[in-house]
Amino acid sequence: MKAYDIILKKRNGEALTDEEIRFFVKGIVDGSIPDYQATAFLMAVYFRGMTDEETVTLTDAMMRSGDTVDLSRFGKLSVDKHSTGGVGDKTSLIVAPIVGSLGLKLAKMSGRGLGHTGGTVDKLESIPGYRTDLPADEFLSQVEKTNIAVIGQTGNMVPADKILYALRDVTATVDSIPLITSSIMSKKLAAGAHTIVLDVKTGSGAFMKTPQDARVLAEKMVTIGKACGRKMAALITDMDTPLGSNIGNALEVKEAVEVLRGKKNDLYEVSLALASNIAALALELPLEEAKRRCEDAVKSGKAFLKMKEWIASQGGDETYLDDLSKFPVAKYAYEIRAKRDGYITHMDAEKLGLLCVELGAGRRKKGDAIDFVAGLILNAKTGDRVKTGELLATAYSSIPSLDAVLDDAYEKAVLISDDKPTAKPLIYDVIF
Ligand code: URA
């Protein structure tokens, strides 16, 4: 078998065989196929696409290219969730304790912030002492003991994706449905859970800008996950507006705690929908019954207690969760006020995410340090009526003299006009 022939076959629009795809993935990882052939292959897939059978094989071959986690000891109780990424998206911090308090086992590997989107690992590290680098045996025994462990991506998992993603990033081949599907699903499958619920975001702050594109991706990922023997659902949810009111690492942990203590907002709604779908699939319950149990976990305080147990057993200081004023506050707070009366008609979530990176809440380049206290608190969101002089947002940073920069960046990200915007759905659909 030759890499050249496989590239030629895909370039000509033919479907590849199981053996050809596995040969290619193996060659990429062992170095026998050079980067220039790998990128030619990626471009051919970009233009010619892949059948579901090819995408299943590609996903499976990538998943098997490195270490995998064995969660078989937890049987059907092992669950996982994945978000395609957003701004202010701290649902994992809420969903984990809800499903953990129902007896489900969440052994989760999360990512760090990327571009304008935040990452769960960075958020958790804003809690003093929290360890995101547990070795495999400790990771699993913590899940056994407390039902939840959330760590960073470790060691040699899915090396094929590391190589391919880096090449896609610089060769304009990221936005291909089979390539995104195999990239995300190979990592989720390698993490071992029996039930996987995906949160596919759509809108200005999301990878998929339209609900139609998000649906295509969601359906494909659900199909591939099921073909690989997992229970799957995907929610298509709004990321046109940031989720909740806090953006930035420690600020997001605080808002997650507020929701677990009863605050009701869009963040609660999306978290509840994700948790309910996980519980319905894993516990084989009707969705309404699963939702009732999830709501009860929050109302009774059981989910908040579970969060404290999880954070403490992973080394974090859980007293910060009891007393949110213990989190350090940024040196500078900048108030952003309305310059006119009107309705907030549009918020560009990506621009607001990038503004938070400028405040210090994210990385400009890999390896940059994060300022955990930096970020934004939004007082008004899309659809709200505001008056001249009203406080729209407060920005927090350790960087002085940002007033003018912030006003300008906020104005470019948020549109205020006379017409009340038509409300958009928060949850577009659930795909099974
Ligand atoms: N996230 C991933 O992990 N892979 C992609 O291809 C896109 C988003």
Side-chain angles (χ1 to χ4, degrees), residues 94 98 243-245 254-273 291-292 294-301 303 381 426:
I94 300 164
I98 295 178
L243 197 54
S245 47
K254 287 190 200 179
E255 191 176 19
V257 168
E258 285 162 8
V259 164
L260 287 172
R261 284 185 180 157
K263 175 172 161 176
K264 299 278 187 296
N265 58 2
D266 54 351
L267 172 63
Y268 173 71
E269 291 304 323
V270 174
S271 304
L272 184 67
K291 187 173 173 210
R292 198 195 54 72
C294 292
E295 281 169 334
D296 184 58
V298 177
K299 253 188 240 154
S300 64
K381 299 216 317 182
L426 183 59

Side-chain angles (χ1 to χ4, degrees), residues 165 168 179-180 183-184 187 207:
Y165 197 89
R168 286 166 61 206
L179 297 180
I180 299 173
S183 167
I184 292 179
K187 287 176 285 198
F207 206 46

Side-chain angles (χ1 to χ4, degrees), residues 41-271:
F41 172 80
L42 291 169
M43 194 56 89
V45 171
Y46 181 91
F47 281 114
R48 292 300 194 168
M50 277 188 152
T51 63
D52 283 354
E53 290 72 34
E54 287 177 285
T55 313
V56 169
T57 306
L58 178 61
T59 307
D60 185 72
M62 287 170 67
M63 188 252 297
R64 291 177 199 278
S65 68
D67 300 339
T68 55
V69 182
D70 180 6
L71 297 180
S72 55
R73 69 172 91 170
F74 304 122
K76 290 184 174 177
L77 294 180
S78 65
V79 298
D80 200 354
K81 81 163 268 280
H82 177 79
S83 160
T84 56
V87 179
D89 179 7
K90 65 290 272 176
T91 54
S92 290
L93 304 181
I94 300 164
V95 172
I98 295 178
V99 300
S101 74
L102 300 184
L104 294 171
K105 303 285 186 182
L106 185 97
K108 184 163 170 50
M109 290 185 190
S110 285
R112 294 194 179 274
L114 190 68
H116 66 283
T117 66
T120 303
V121 166
D122 294 328
K123 293 171 203 189
L124 285 167
E125 283 181 352
S126 72
I127 305 170
Y130 188 90
R131 291 174 58 207
T132 54
D133 59 349
L134 302 184
D137 53 339
E138 238 184 282
F139 176 56
L140 293 176
S141 65
Q142 153 130 351
V143 178
E144 191 110 47
K145 201 169 74 192
T146 69
N147 295 352
I148 308 168
V150 181
I151 60 171
Q153 261 127 18
T154 51
N156 189 37
M157 282 185 73
V158 199
D161 183 60
K162 292 195 182 94
I163 297 167
L164 288 175
Y165 197 89
L167 294 174
R168 286 166 61 206
D169 211 17
V170 291
T171 57
T173 47
V174 169
D175 53 339
S176 144
I177 295 287
L179 297 180
I180 299 173
T181 300
S182 53
S183 167
I184 292 179
M185 290 307 296
S186 59
K187 287 176 285 198
K188 283 291 111 182
L189 296 172
H194 190 68
T195 292
I196 302 168
V197 170
L198 306 168
D199 184 2
V200 182
K201 303 282 188 196
T202 178
S204 62
F207 206 46
M208 296 282 135
K209 300 292 178 204
T210 67
Q212 292 77 12
D213 286 349
R215 172 180 294 275
V216 173
L217 178 63
E219 285 175 349
K220 195 60 83 183
M221 290 198 290
V222 166
T223 303
I224 302 308
K226 281 186 184 167
C228 294
R230 311 299 166 97
K231 284 190 181 173
M232 295 291 307
L235 280 70
I236 300 172
T237 70
D238 177 72
M239 186 36 69
D240 212 37
T241 303
L243 197 54
S245 47
N246 295 16
I247 314 169
N249 300 285
L251 294 174
E252 295 197 33
V253 171
K254 287 190 200 179
E255 191 176 19
V257 168
E258 285 162 8
V259 164
L260 287 172
R261 284 185 180 157
K263 175 172 161 176
K264 299 278 187 296
N265 58 2
D266 54 351
L267 172 63
Y268 173 71
E269 291 304 323
V270 174
S271 304

